[in-house]
Amino acid sequence: MNAPSLGPLLDDFSKVLANDPGALDVNSAMYVPNLHGVGAEDVIALLERAIRRTDDEGQIYYFSGQRGTGKSTELRRLATQLNAQSDTRAYVVDALEYISDTHPLDTLSLLLVAAIAFADRLAQPDGLGVAPAREDGLLARFTGWLRTEVDITQVSIGGVKAEFRKQQQSIVERLRSFDLTRQERVMAECRAYLSDMAEAVRATWQCRRVVLAIDSLERLRGIGGEAGAMFERIVRVFDGGIAQLRVPGVQMIYSVPPYLPYLTNVKALVRLFVLASVRVCQPPATARREARIEGVAAMRHVVERRFPRWRELIEEPALDRLILASGGDLRQLLRRLVLDVLDEAYFQQERLPLQASDAILEVVLKRHRAEIGNLVVRNEFPLLRGIAQTHALDLERREDLPIVAHFFDVRAVLNYRNGVEWLDLNPLLWDLISTSPAVQPATHEPGTA
């Protein structure tokens, strides 16, 4: 194939990568099974087993992992597997369809979003069938309660989502004005409605177990000076408010930020399941930062599923170089590294397929090293260096907790799991942190100069 004919192929590959399909169903042609491992390495298999074997229908679980690891896709797989069992009905709802990712979360607003999202989901044809249409039905009573108790106007069954987002700021202010007694009452009523909805599911589907997963909460973030405040809210809700998040009759799964299990004591209080980055490197005790063949091949398979003709544009060693630079982060690989390489190559098609030594790869990697380097500041380097050396967190000061949360949020630090869990820096930071001179630890808000 001569070089001019590769333009349409570059466009097609770029279009596939730029148009993120979002969470995938297990029957999608793009879905890659066993991406994160099999058996005891499969976090979804462990979570499914925990759900199946519990008799406590008020159990809660935390599900964590960084953006780009495929959590939403894997939660869908969990629901599919659970729904294949006659005694279980599982639902996944996305919290960020109702609130923004900078929403000042508290336990009351989380329970309210959970109840609203569950009601919306049950209003769909495969929810409670014809029951939602009844004017005196459960979901109609719930929306009436939203109008009177929370003052969310113009809501209807199955149509709460748009109104909640539209009125989000005024709802936050209204909830903040509630005194403690009213807050406790509204939270109790939210839990009661969630329990009633679960009971309606059991009656409709003749099942024993109801599971509700609240997705995307790990994407909540603070901007600028609000970063520390958001960190404190997250810890207060998911560490300090565990008892309030339990719902009788429902096994609840809450997605939580990836820093939470490292910076709090939640592991001792809640069953926690962490979806790690794809293990493209060997564990530190085996061969520190050396390529793990199985992990690299799994990431290559992801590219293959999205665009089978990729080898006409980039040779396998070149793609493997980008895979290692991604640290096993799917989003960083697909939507940033590979996509940028294709854009750079578009006007230099005579160099295709790109080799691992091609200068185009170094141009792109240099750019992304600079970008992620700008997300941390120099007096944060000692914390990063400590993580790089020990592959764990060993903080000396409590004030460093929000800074480490920032590292997870911007993916300066990645988490892995292979029998044991370990941490490492994003590979794009390896050289910067290892060659930087020692400075005093950070004492400021994360991400600010």
Side-chain angles (χ1 to χ4, degrees):
M1 182 179 291
N2 52 37
S5 66
L6 293 175
L9 197 63
L10 279 165
D11 284 343
D12 289 345
F13 194 5
S14 297
K15 187 182 298 182
V16 167
L17 297 179
N19 293 284
D20 187 354
L24 301 174
D25 291 319
V26 294
N27 57 356
S28 168
M30 293 186 182
Y31 180 73
V32 175
N34 305 321
L35 181 61
H36 299 276
V38 297
E41 293 183 359
D42 183 355
V43 173
I44 292 300
L46 299 177
L47 177 52
E48 180 190 2
R49 183 167 180 262
I51 290 170
R52 284 191 291 105
R53 72 184 182 185
T54 186
D55 291 326
D56 179 6
E57 290 305 305
Q59 184 64 266
I60 66 172
Y61 310 91
Y62 285 172
F63 183 62
S64 187
Q66 291 173 279
R67 285 176 287 176
T69 54
K71 292 182 305 302
S72 296
T73 291
E74 292 303 293
L75 279 177
R76 287 192 179 192
R77 174 164 76 95
L78 174 67
T80 298
Q81 292 175 184
L82 290 172
N83 287 330
Q85 303 166 24
S86 60
D87 66 345
T88 305
R89 195 74 182 165
Y91 302 88
V92 179
V93 296
D94 188 339
L96 293 194
E97 291 183 357
Y98 300 85
I99 57 176
S100 69
D101 61 359
T102 58
H103 184 90
L105 189 75
D106 58 24
T107 306
L108 174 55
S109 61
L110 175 54
L111 286 171
L112 187 60
V113 167
I116 289 172
F118 198 19
D120 259 354
R121 180 66 184 85
L122 295 184
Q124 296 177 19
D126 63 342
L128 295 179
V130 299
R134 290 174 44 195
E135 293 184 0
D136 62 342
L138 169 61
L139 300 189
R141 293 198 304 275
F142 175 66
T143 52
W145 176 81
L146 290 175
R147 296 188 195 103
T148 57
E149 186 63 51
V150 192
D151 195 23
I152 304 178
T153 58
Q154 301 177 346
V155 296
S156 59
I157 297 170
V160 184
K161 186 184 304 182
E163 281 302 319
F164 196 93
R165 283 196 69 93
K166 181 180 177 181
Q167 301 180 42
Q168 182 178 178
Q169 187 57 43
S170 62
I171 291 171
V172 168
E173 295 172 359
R174 198 171 307 131
L175 296 178
R176 284 177 174 173
S177 71
F178 290 179
D179 59 34
L180 182 59
T181 300
R182 188 175 181 185
Q183 288 181 20
E184 293 289 345
R185 185 181 76 248
V186 173
M187 283 193 286
E189 290 171 349
C190 279
R191 288 190 292 267
Y193 271 112
L194 283 163
S195 295
D196 290 346
M197 292 177 205
E199 191 57 39
V201 168
R202 275 187 279 272
T204 299
W205 297 99
Q206 295 297 297
C207 62
R208 179 176 66 86
R209 184 181 294 113
V210 178
V211 179
L212 176 62
I214 313 297
D215 193 16
S216 297
L217 296 169
E218 77 288 344
R219 290 163 56 189
L220 293 170
R221 61 193 179 92
I223 298 176
E226 288 295 313
M230 178 62 82
F231 167 76
E232 291 175 0
R233 291 191 196 101
I234 293 293
V235 171
R236 196 157 48 239
V237 171
F238 292 113
D239 189 25
I242 292 173
Q244 295 171 313
L245 297 179
R246 296 184 185 275
V247 177
V250 190
Q251 294 200 49
M252 301 288 295
I253 303 170
Y254 295 96
S255 65
V256 298
Y259 56 77
L260 193 73
Y262 293 97
L263 306 184
T264 67
N265 194 38
V266 296
K267 289 182 179 180
L269 304 171
V270 181
R271 293 295 306 276
L272 173 73
F273 299 85
V274 179
L275 188 68
S277 301
V278 178
R279 292 177 290 111
V280 297
C281 289
Q282 297 284 0
T286 302
R288 183 175 183 266
R289 291 181 173 174
E290 290 188 14
R292 177 176 174 269
I293 296 174
E294 299 89 344
V296 173
M299 293 283 277
R300 205 185 301 131
H301 196 190
V302 171
V303 176
E304 181 85 24
R305 286 290 183 95
R306 280 165 169 73
F307 199 76
R309 295 180 63 186
W310 64 270
R311 286 181 177 82
E312 297 176 43
L313 302 174
I314 182 168
E315 293 184 355
E316 188 170 295
L319 179 62
D320 289 354
R321 184 181 178 191
L322 297 179
I323 288 172
L324 288 171
S326 77
D329 184 311
L330 292 170
R331 185 168 296 157
Q332 183 164 296
L333 174 68
L334 299 175
R335 300 201 68 197
R336 296 183 62 78
L337 296 179
V338 175
L339 186 58
D340 280 9
V341 163
L342 297 180
D343 287 345
E344 288 286 338
Y346 187 82
F347 297 102
Q348 304 178 66
Q349 295 179 28
E350 70 280 357
R351 300 162 75 158
L352 300 176
L354 295 175
Q355 298 180 359
S357 60
D358 196 292
I360 286 178
L361 270 71
E362 189 52 48
V363 166
V364 169
L365 291 172
K366 183 178 180 180
R367 180 189 308 146
H368 285 279
R369 288 188 195 104
E371 288 179 1
I372 195 166
N374 288 336
L375 296 176
V376 296
V377 294
R378 292 194 62 81
N379 60 351
E380 294 170 347
F381 286 11
L383 292 175
L384 291 168
R385 189 179 293 110
I387 294 170
Q389 292 171 348
T390 64
H391 300 284
L393 284 178
D394 184 17
L395 302 182
E396 295 182 357
R397 306 178 309 165
R398 189 169 297 279
E399 305 89 84
D400 291 336
L401 296 179
I403 299 172
V404 174
H406 170 71
F407 293 161
F408 280 96
D409 187 50
V410 300
R411 288 175 285 185
V413 171
L414 303 176
N415 68 295
Y416 300 94
R417 182 176 183 273
N418 180 20
V420 296
E421 296 179 4
W422 80 93
L423 303 174
D424 202 354
L425 305 187
N426 189 308
L428 296 175
L429 285 175
W430 286 355
D431 290 342
L432 174 65
I433 299 305
S434 66
T435 60
S436 63
V439 294
Q440 292 300 312
T443 59
H444 59 271
E445 291 293 325
T448 61

